[in-house]
Amino acid sequence: MKTFKHTLVTGFALFAMFLGAGNIIFPPTIGALAGDQWLLTLLGFLLTGICLPLLGIIASAKAGDNAADFGKYLGSTNAQVLVFLIIITIGPLLAIPRTGSVTYELAIAPIFPGINSYLAIAGFFTITAFCTLNANKVIDLIGAYLTPILMITLIIIIFLGIIHPIGQPVSTQQSQTFLKGFEGGYQTMDALASIVFSGIIMHTIHHLGYEDLKQKTRLTAIAGVIAGFGLLIVYGGFIYLGASASGQAIQDLSRVELLIQVIDQILGSWGSIGLGIIVALACLTTAVGLTATVAMYFSDRSSKLSYKPMVYIICIFSTILAVNGVDTIINFASPILSILYPVTIIIILLWLVDDWIKHKSIYKGAALGALLVSLSQVVFSAEDNINHVLKSLSWAQVFSPDTPLRVNFDTPLNILNSLPLSGEGFAWVIPAIIGGLLFLTWDLYQEHK
């Protein structure tokens, strides 16, 4: 009974850590674009939005208590670089600013439409800094009571949206709906966060009196299933709600505007205001947790900046980025996540079968293969943006005064698109396998020389 209680509490805690309030802005849009194919989109979203983060928790637990252990078979420097990129991504570059933007667009602007966005977001991060520097029972109480309230509210919205649907999912012309759901799950950033969260969960379980590694891993896995079930209800429900609104004029709506419209039609305007307040508090606890985690990470590695100055720097930097708006942050995040996620997925999968991997260089080869392809795809897909930059550079006009200097990535992009599984968004899979086999072959050759 005691073990069951500990596991249940840990599962709810893990659910709260994964369900950043900003995450609920993605499923409705994904569902609305999928229309009657929303189940296929849901499957893709669940793989990267739920299954992968939970596998990441287990893989990181097997790797060790330190986040850097996750990439230790990549080499010390590579591991540190990977963890740094993950920390900066779920920190002041993307995830923390998004909490401020979501709070403004979903909670503050609907209630106070005339308020200055810069002032509102600066106020949010001022409160974030205060709470992070003065960790006390207030934030603990908000977190403890807020998660059940938020969860109950979301379930009520989903239930009402099912028994009194906004409309029927319409036939859509969208292609690759599974891929769109799969890549949409990247935006939750939960697979990246799981690498950091794993140490927190393992530490908590250890302090509950469980010392055996197998037992801790088993309890972590069960807690993961509990958290995953909660996420399935929320993500699945809101993807359906978005699909039920697919017959309406949604093309020009931002993600936040669509979410507000869906909730307004289910609960009325007061419902969206109430949800906005709860989401604002949820974003605050998420921002505080991430800010504290990132500040501790950087202060531990700096001899000049302690925890307190790092908190101020993170909040100021996050404020500057947050004023650009939710959709801008999401668009900025897409290429970064498209590069980081394939590498992270490969390492997670390898850790799950690590007991059968004798030659650890496979990690390096597989990660390198995935990185080269994902990085190339992002660069080659940015042809228009690169040409726009070249056109604006004065030195480019000196070398090519008559004809603007341009790059053409049609050929390499066609080669990448011809790779197996590229149509499903997994062009990096075969190169990762080949990379791992090449490094394994080299190891075996070195052994038998």
Side-chain angles (χ1 to χ4, degrees):
M1 188 65 183
K2 185 178 178 181
T3 300
F4 174 78
K5 179 182 177 181
H6 289 162
T7 307
L8 192 64
V9 170
T10 304
F12 282 137
L14 190 57
F15 167 78
M17 292 165 71
F18 278 135
L19 187 67
N23 288 0
I24 64 172
I25 67 175
F26 301 112
T29 298
I30 293 173
L33 294 175
D36 61 348
Q37 299 184 48
W38 67 273
L39 278 173
L40 189 59
T41 298
L42 173 61
L43 177 60
F45 190 86
L46 295 186
L47 287 178
T48 47
I50 297 180
C51 296
L52 190 61
L54 300 184
L55 293 177
I57 287 284
I58 298 172
S60 298
K62 290 185 66 176
D65 294 333
N66 193 307
D69 291 336
F70 176 75
K72 62 186 177 184
Y73 293 134
L74 302 179
S76 177
T77 301
N78 293 335
Q80 293 295 336
V81 169
L82 178 62
V83 173
F84 170 80
L85 292 175
I86 290 173
I87 289 289
I88 204 74
T89 298
I90 66 171
L93 188 63
L94 299 176
I96 297 177
R98 194 173 71 188
T99 61
S101 296
V102 169
T103 299
Y104 171 72
E105 295 186 25
L106 196 56
I108 299 176
I111 301 175
F112 307 102
I115 193 170
N116 183 278
S117 61
Y118 294 86
L119 181 63
I121 292 173
F124 173 84
F125 281 111
T126 299
I127 297 172
T128 297
F130 175 81
C131 294
T132 306
L133 293 172
N134 300 275
N136 51 45
K137 292 185 178 180
V138 174
I139 293 301
D140 292 336
L141 288 173
I142 291 174
Y145 291 105
L146 178 65
T147 299
I149 293 173
L150 179 61
M151 183 62 179
I152 290 171
T153 304
L154 296 177
I155 290 176
I156 290 173
I157 292 172
I158 292 168
F159 177 74
L160 292 176
I162 292 174
I163 63 173
H164 300 295
I166 298 171
Q168 293 298 319
V170 299
S171 179
T172 177
Q173 301 300 317
Q174 289 285 327
S175 60
Q176 298 180 312
T177 51
F178 172 84
L179 175 59
K180 286 180 171 60
F182 188 88
E183 293 181 341
Y186 288 178
Q187 287 287 353
T188 67
M189 300 186 225
D190 284 343
L192 304 180
S194 69
I195 296 165
V196 178
F197 290 164
S198 175
I200 300 172
I201 294 297
M202 293 291 281
H203 182 76
T204 300
I205 292 176
H206 178 78
H207 276 272
L208 289 174
Y210 302 95
E211 298 184 358
D212 180 69
L213 179 60
K214 288 185 177 180
Q215 189 178 29
K216 288 194 292 186
T217 303
R218 184 175 66 85
L219 291 180
T220 300
I222 296 173
V225 172
I226 294 171
F229 182 72
L231 293 174
L232 174 62
I233 294 173
V234 175
Y235 291 156
F238 272 82
I239 284 178
Y240 169 75
L241 295 183
S244 69
S246 58
Q248 303 184 14
I250 59 172
Q251 290 79 8
D252 297 327
L253 297 180
S254 69
R255 293 170 177 84
V256 171
E257 289 170 341
L258 176 60
L259 176 60
I260 292 175
Q261 178 174 298
V262 167
I263 294 174
D264 281 351
Q265 293 194 44
I266 295 173
L267 297 180
S269 57
W270 286 106
S272 64
I273 291 174
L275 180 65
I277 293 172
I278 294 174
V279 165
L281 293 174
C283 281
L284 178 63
T285 56
T286 301
V288 169
L290 290 176
T291 301
T293 300
V294 176
M296 284 188 287
Y297 173 84
F298 283 112
S299 60
D300 288 344
R301 286 157 179 78
S302 173
S303 58
K304 296 181 180 180
L305 290 174
S306 61
Y307 176 78
K308 188 173 182 178
M310 280 306 310
V311 170
Y312 289 135
I313 292 172
I314 292 168
C315 287
I316 292 171
F317 189 79
S318 297
T319 301
I320 294 171
L321 292 183
V323 296
N324 292 297
V326 173
D327 282 348
T328 300
I329 293 173
I330 291 172
N331 293 334
F332 177 67
S334 292
I336 298 173
L337 298 176
S338 294
I339 295 171
L340 273 180
Y341 254 85
V343 175
T344 305
I345 291 172
I346 285 295
I347 299 175
I348 287 175
L349 295 178
L350 288 175
W351 268 114
L352 295 176
V353 295
D354 181 71
D355 294 340
W356 294 279
I357 300 177
K358 177 182 177 182
H359 297 273
K360 306 303 182 184
S361 63
I362 289 177
Y363 282 80
K364 285 185 181 180
L368 180 61
L371 175 63
L372 290 176
V373 172
S374 60
L375 180 60
S376 298
Q377 283 183 314
V378 168
V379 172
F380 297 154
S381 298
E383 178 182 311
D384 291 340
N385 293 332
I386 293 174
N387 285 326
H388 179 74
V389 171
L390 289 175
K391 185 178 180 180
S392 65
L393 295 175
S394 57
W395 61 263
Q397 307 306 320
V398 173
F399 289 101
S400 183
D402 299 323
T403 305
L405 187 62
R406 294 180 57 84
V407 296
N408 189 313
F409 295 135
D410 287 350
T411 299
L413 196 56
N414 288 336
I415 293 174
L416 287 175
N417 290 337
S418 67
L419 291 173
L421 303 177
S422 63
E424 290 73 30
F426 303 119
W428 46 269
V429 170
I430 299 301
I433 294 173
I434 293 173
L437 291 175
L438 287 175
F439 274 62
L440 170 62
T441 303
W442 176 254
D443 264 9
L444 293 174
Y445 170 74
Q446 292 292 98
E447 282 184 0
H448 294 88
K449 275 203 322 184

